[in-house]
Amino acid sequence: GRAPGSAGMERAADYVEFWYRHAGLDPAFPEPGAASHDAPWTSYRQPMELPGRGVDIKMAEATFGGGQLEPGRDFIVLGCSGKGAVEAPITFVGYGIAEGQDGYTSFDGDERLDGRIAMLLRYEPMNEEGQSLWSDRRFSQFAAILPKLQELAKRGAVGVVLVNPPDSKFGRRGLDTTEGTQFGGSFDIPMIQVSQETAESMLHEASRGSGAADKSLLDWRRLADTAAVKTVKLADGAKLRMGADVSPQVTHTENIGAVLRGSGLLKDQWIVIGGHYDHVGFGYFGTDPRNRGQLHPGADDNASGTAAVLVLADRLAKEYKATPEGESRRSILFLSFTAEESGLEGSRHFVKNPTIPAEDIDLMINLDMVGRLRNDTLSLGGIGTAADFQAILQPEIDASGLTVALDPSGRGPSDHSSFYGAGMPVLFAFTGMHAEYHSPRDTADTVNPAGAAKVIRLIEDIALATAAAPQRLVFQSSDSGPGTDRGYAPVRLGITPGMGAPEGGAGVVVEAVSEGTSAAEAGVQAGDVLISWNGEELTGTGSLMENLRKHKPGDIVQLVLLRNGQRVVVTPTLKESTGRRGG
């Protein structure tokens, strides 16, 4: 599945490097750890670190009523917990919702929680059947955990205890895992989740001597369901001591790069030809949750693009070897990117840590999902990123025999976007979305090798023509273009999504918003995190595409997003899709 840090990814890196060497290409990077940026290029690898999807638990402690709570049985540390230890009394805060539906709130005005540990119910008010009072499906946007935690921290809580409410029709019952509770955000206070039994025992002990002493956790939930209680300060003498220290694990991974040296007057100018060689492993991120734990082969995405880059490296090396003496050609840097599926991390790392100055790069060509050519129709994105680009490329396009859909945009959720953002002309070859995308069914038998060969020939012709052209391409912005889409949905929103989930949680990060689209008109901004669609949680890009496919042009939908830690609701009117790649 080629997830960064996996054994499969290491084998894929070795494979790519082997074929770069076999083509006779030179290394593209200094040795890792080289003292100087100008050190000789002797390595095919550019190492980088990614935040791991697991966590390192250095402290997990909780004591209440003189008894030690057992990690994994009575409680777990939340993956988004801050570091530290605290001993304080408990305040029950119900669902911890500052402003819910129909004026519902868990707080009285600006009520503070200073010096108190907040005990928080997950989700939102329910009826007797455990069904949300605010959604006909599962839960509404008000059930999102991150805004609740941020609200409690803002009100001065020194710690948080999360508990799953009893008898919830769709809610979780047992303890989660620390890895599964990385809800995002940055906190300075310790946070734990306790079992329902532990929470009930704590509430009983801390209410001793009051009228609430005999209430069950379900009774407390019912009071919160109707807002019959808001915050309830429990006995000051019944203190919980809790300590937490978690940190994300680090994943070591590498871009793989090789150089084909040019000649003559153009040898110090460059073309980059690249594609990502990672995929989503066993589907624990960026996929349909129903497929988690299954191997995702990623034959089209992006073994096809990786293979195309390697074939081009071999073919262009032979072409360059036969270059007549005195002819000028630009040098070519072949790059195989890691961590594209995690949010273009590999290409971003290269752009931030380049071995070649951006001003020396004439063109970046990205091959991502080029294995499913159908009806000899190919999409080429980035046509608007250089002046007169279409006229320059048209002879090669005409000679290819392919029907080429031209997209002006230089943005999109693939690695060319990193180069475009740094001011370089880009091209993006893409043979289209399909039902096997990001699923275990993206296997080798679904790829069209003969079609991929046609794509490779076209890109080879474009690369050779660009490499020998006496005039440089002139970069221009294409941000008014609609962007390239990976999904065939009847409508589009108009965002460029990051391919990975936000750090530690679900949702869709908005990398860019195209002008004139539904998202732009509704006020969605780059950097927003989309967390729900018509009341349903967005678990990632896949769930965004599933929702888009349910709608027709003119539909108005409710989107909830996080912006600088604050929840914002927008209602875009969806417009017809043009078959491009993105949300």
Side-chain angles (χ1 to χ4, degrees), residues 14-361:
D14 291 342
Y15 182 90
V16 170
E17 180 178 338
F18 172 86
W19 285 108
Y20 281 155
R21 289 177 180 271
H22 187 270
L25 305 185
D26 295 330
F29 306 110
E31 283 297 322
S36 169
H37 176 76
D38 298 323
W41 295 355
T42 57
S43 174
Y44 291 88
R45 308 207 178 197
Q46 183 184 41
M48 58 180 290
E49 292 183 348
L50 298 172
R53 299 198 175 269
V55 292
D56 183 12
I57 306 172
K58 298 177 181 177
M59 178 169 60
E61 300 174 353
T63 304
F64 185 79
Q68 191 83 21
L69 303 184
E70 183 178 332
R73 186 193 68 181
D74 302 320
F75 80 101
I76 58 105
V77 175
L78 296 186
C80 59
S81 173
K83 176 183 177 181
V86 65
E87 185 174 12
I90 298 170
T91 294
F92 178 77
V93 297
Y95 291 101
I97 296 172
E99 184 179 349
Q101 191 166 294
D102 301 324
Y104 179 98
T105 180
S106 299
F107 306 100
D108 288 318
D110 296 329
E111 184 175 10
R112 300 288 301 173
L113 298 169
D114 300 277
R116 315 282 300 189
I117 293 173
M119 179 178 282
L120 168 71
L121 292 174
R122 201 168 184 172
Y123 308 123
E124 63 192 16
M126 308 172 198
N127 61 22
E128 282 298 316
E129 287 71 44
Q131 169 69 49
S132 168
L133 292 174
W134 299 340
S135 175
D136 294 332
R137 298 175 183 177
R138 294 174 64 86
F139 298 105
S140 76
Q141 67 270 20
F142 298 108
I145 295 179
L146 181 57
K148 297 182 182 185
L149 299 179
Q150 291 169 330
E151 184 69 24
L152 297 177
K154 184 176 73 174
R155 290 175 181 265
V158 296
V160 172
V161 174
L162 176 69
V163 60
N164 291 328
D167 294 354
S168 172
K169 184 174 181 180
F170 296 109
R172 296 176 179 267
R173 287 169 172 76
L175 290 172
D176 292 83
T177 63
T178 299
E179 290 81 2
T181 54
Q182 300 176 77
F183 300 125
S186 177
F187 298 98
D188 298 323
I189 59 176
M191 299 180 175
I192 66 173
Q193 180 192 40
V194 299
S195 68
Q196 293 175 349
E197 295 77 13
T198 300
E200 188 166 278
S201 175
M202 293 168 69
L203 287 166
H204 176 75
E205 180 67 25
S207 303
R208 192 178 298 277
S210 73
D214 295 329
K215 285 186 173 64
S216 66
L217 182 60
L218 180 58
D219 292 330
W220 285 97
R221 193 212 86 183
R222 286 168 173 159
L223 291 170
D225 288 338
T226 60
V229 299
K230 298 186 187 302
T231 57
V232 179
K233 288 186 177 181
L234 303 177
D236 289 344
K239 294 183 177 181
L240 169 65
R241 176 172 175 78
M242 54 189 284
D245 185 0
V246 297
S247 58
Q249 296 174 350
V250 173
T251 297
H252 298 275
T253 187
E254 299 159 313
N255 291 325
I256 314 297
V259 168
L260 178 60
R261 299 287 175 181
S263 57
L265 298 176
L266 300 176
K267 65 182 176 62
D268 292 328
Q269 297 175 26
W270 292 80
I271 296 170
V272 175
I273 299 177
H276 72 93
Y277 72 103
D278 68 301
H279 195 48
V280 296
F282 285 87
Y284 292 109
F285 65 98
T287 63
D288 188 327
R290 293 170 294 184
N291 292 328
R292 288 174 183 166
Q294 299 182 55
L295 177 67
H296 287 59
D300 187 27
D301 185 19
N302 185 35
S304 67
T306 302
V309 171
L310 295 178
V311 172
L312 285 164
D314 184 67
R315 291 173 65 96
L316 289 169
K318 292 174 181 174
E319 289 276 357
Y320 270 45
K321 190 174 182 178
T323 300
E325 187 175 350
E327 185 172 321
S328 293
R329 277 182 170 167
R330 290 175 175 84
S331 298
I332 301 179
L333 171 62
F334 295 92
L335 284 174
S336 298
F337 302 109
T338 184
E340 188 267 0
E341 303 289 8
S342 305
L344 316 185
E345 297 288 354
S347 55
R348 283 175 176 160
H349 181 76
F350 176 82
V351 168
K352 291 177 181 178
N353 302 275
T355 48
I356 301 168
E359 58 268 22
D360 292 340
I361 297 177

